[in-house]
Amino acid sequence: MFAAPEQRSHLVLENFIGGKFVPCRSHIDSYDPSTGEIYCKVPDSGKEEVEAAVAAAKEAFPGWAARSPEQRAHILNKLADLIDANLEELAQAESRDQGKTITFARTVDIPRAAHNFRFFASSVLHHTNDCSQMDHMGCLNYTIRCPVGVAGLISPWNLPLYLLTWKVAPAIAAGNTVVAKPSEMTSVTAWMMCKLLQQAGVPPGVVNIVFGTGLKAGDALVGHPEVPLVSFTGSTATAQHITTRSAPYCKKLSLELGGKNPAIIFADANLDQCIETTVRSSFSNQGEICLCTSRIYVERSIYSEFLEKFVAASKKWKTGSPSDPSNNNGALISKEHLQKVRSFVALAKSEGGVIHCGEGIDQMDLPKRNANGYFMPATVISGVSDSSRVMQEEIFGPVTCLSPFDTEDEAVAKGNGVRYGLAATIWSQDVGKVHRVAKRLQAGLVWTNCWLVRDLNLPFGGMKNSGVGREGGKDSYHFFTEVKSVTIKH
């Protein structure tokens, strides 16, 4: 049902405003990360396009908000079915646009996008409000929740459709209308979804998608006086700008930002299970997941054994053509991002760190067509000080650093010793220790003896520079609605 990008010189995307595809006067080149070649042309939208999208969303809001949660849920479920029906085409596009393996897109990104719509279609039917009696005053108090209005949604390039739908689904389930801006580097699956919106019966103007850069389209959206709510996933620096732009209008903000996530591995950990999972948590999706493990602290008595086994397992993590199902990793998002990630490895080396495998050590055997792609093998580093930029800053690539610790207190101090606080993993068989450490770690999500096990009912978000607010079943519903207290005297 979609025009195959391969059959045209370049795919040219259009904005989706008021239920119609609208051409844009100027475009941005978007690259296939696995070849380094231009893949498609993305609209370079700005204030004018955002203005039109907000106007369409405002016009659609009263009618959509007036529908019952059941009516809205019915449409969300139809949308989920359509995503499932087009899974293969969406996965192929996601892989080509983002650089990730076709296997990851097929098994993680696109199924989760469908699941997001189904989950919020269901959860919106089960929220209850509060009620209190004041018999001595002859009063009954209760709360109601109302949709806020036009939601401004900005999603990142690492999990493009997955994270866009994580925002769109709860926003429209709660009765809001939406103006969304995906990353200009990964816009294709959002554009494909627009066609499915029409088929699912989403009324014109309920979901509008404006493509373009953060500097132009994103800035116009977050600074728009008639967008009362902004949900953003991306970098801490961009979030600081969004906060400044939103402040004059007292907008509701949900900011899901970066991470520098620790794994804390105690001597009593199940090493085989721990190493297998920690390789995956360090390198999945080229390390381009905000929840990836980038600092691994290992109790000193098992440090040497762990390091040896971990490096051996990391060397088996295959990087190459995204279309080859035997590969674990594809290409990084862009040439600039690859250079940035490589610069951290060079910095570690210059500071006396040891590169055990990966960048500069292991040669990749790439097919000829991928020779100019943005590939980097799984890289393991040790011997870097805790104060190094390599240990303090988010690298967002297939790089992880190992360091030993001696005591529980030291492990917690190291884990908390960065400005981020998104996720952490703990590996131990000691239940008491697990509870103590989980409580003390400054992280919004803590996994024990596992990684990335997600119940979408539970709050998602980080502490410190990893974000503001939480999203998830009840939390998303609260964010995308305003609560109102009503008192009736009888």
Side-chain angles (χ1 to χ4, degrees), residues 219-373:
D219 185 69
L221 180 57
V222 300
H224 199 292
E226 296 186 78
V227 176
L229 168 153
V230 174
S231 173
F232 167 79
T233 300
S235 75
T236 302
T238 303
Q240 289 164 339
H241 176 75
I242 289 171
T243 305
T244 304
R245 290 287 279 125
S246 301
Y249 307 104
C250 300
K251 294 176 190 253
K252 286 185 87 174
L253 295 180
S254 177
L255 307 171
E256 198 276 283
L257 312 178
K260 189 70 179 171
N261 310 307
I264 296 176
I265 296 155
F266 290 97
D268 64 342
N270 177 329
L271 267 198
D272 290 340
Q273 185 193 0
C274 171
I275 285 167
E276 183 192 348
T277 304
T278 307
V279 167
R280 193 165 54 84
S281 72
S282 299
F283 305 125
S284 283
N285 202 52
Q286 303 77 243
E288 294 170 331
I289 302 177
C290 56
L291 302 164
C292 274
T293 303
S294 59
R295 297 177 293 141
I296 302 172
Y297 299 112
V298 186
E299 196 161 354
R300 197 176 297 275
S301 61
I302 61 162
Y303 178 76
S304 298
E305 181 191 358
F306 181 92
L307 178 62
E308 186 182 336
K309 288 183 173 176
F310 185 79
V311 170
S314 299
K315 285 183 171 185
K316 292 177 184 166
W317 188 264
K318 285 181 65 182
T319 299
S321 169
S323 60
D324 182 342
S326 72
N327 286 331
N328 303 100
N329 271 3
L332 275 71
I333 184 66
S334 69
K335 189 177 183 177
E336 294 75 18
H337 187 59
L338 175 61
Q339 287 168 345
K340 178 195 150 188
V341 176
R342 280 178 172 162
S343 76
F344 276 103
V345 181
L347 176 62
K349 202 171 177 181
S350 74
E351 292 178 345
V354 179
I355 320 298
H356 294 272
C357 63
E359 177 62 24
I361 291 179
D362 298 311
Q363 292 301 309
M364 291 176 290
D365 185 19
L366 297 170
K368 192 176 175 185
R369 75 179 296 270
N370 300 118
N372 295 319

Side-chain angles (χ1 to χ4, degrees), residues 73-118:
H74 179 68
I75 289 176
L76 265 68
N77 279 316
K78 275 168 100 173
L79 200 44
D81 291 343
L82 287 164
I83 289 172
D84 280 342
N86 291 278
L87 186 146
E88 185 57 28
E89 284 174 274
L90 287 162
Q92 293 280 354
E94 201 75 295
S95 172
R96 188 167 177 198
D97 201 21
Q98 200 274 336
K100 68 180 72 232
T101 64
I102 184 66
T103 307
F104 199 92
R106 216 179 254 147
T107 57
V108 178
D109 288 72
I110 309 307
R112 173 60 191 273
H115 182 60
N116 285 339
F117 282 113
R118 282 201 187 91

Side-chain angles (χ1 to χ4, degrees), residues 119-164:
F119 174 82
F120 287 107
S122 172
S123 73
V124 77
L125 305 178
H126 304 291
H127 297 295
T128 55
N129 294 326
D130 300 318
C131 176
S132 73
Q133 291 171 256
M134 297 173 69
D135 291 341
H136 62 292
M137 300 285 289
C139 287
L140 178 73
N141 308 301
Y142 64 91
T143 61
I144 54 176
R145 284 196 166 269
C146 310
V148 181
V150 179
L153 311 178
I154 300 177
S155 53
W157 50 256
N158 59 327
L159 300 161
L161 192 64
Y162 173 143
L163 289 176
L164 175 65

Side-chain angles (χ1 to χ4, degrees), residues 191-226:
W191 170 80
M192 291 166 82
M193 186 183 74
C194 295
K195 301 187 180 194
L196 304 182
L197 295 172
Q198 294 173 313
Q199 289 182 51
V202 177
V206 170
V207 177
N208 307 274
I209 299 194
V210 175
F211 300 101
T213 65
L215 285 173
K216 281 175 66 178
D219 185 69
L221 180 57
V222 300
H224 199 292
E226 296 186 78

Side-chain angles (χ1 to χ4, degrees), residues 37-53:
E37 294 167 359
I38 294 172
Y39 166 41
C40 73
K41 303 275 189 182
V42 176
D44 186 14
S45 307
K47 202 169 180 182
E48 184 185 330
E49 290 82 4
V50 168
E51 200 67 58

Side-chain angles (χ1 to χ4, degrees), residues 52-62 150 177-179 205-206 208:
V54 172
K58 265 193 78 181
E59 189 181 340
F61 175 66
V150 179
T177 54
V178 159
V179 177
V206 170
N208 307 274

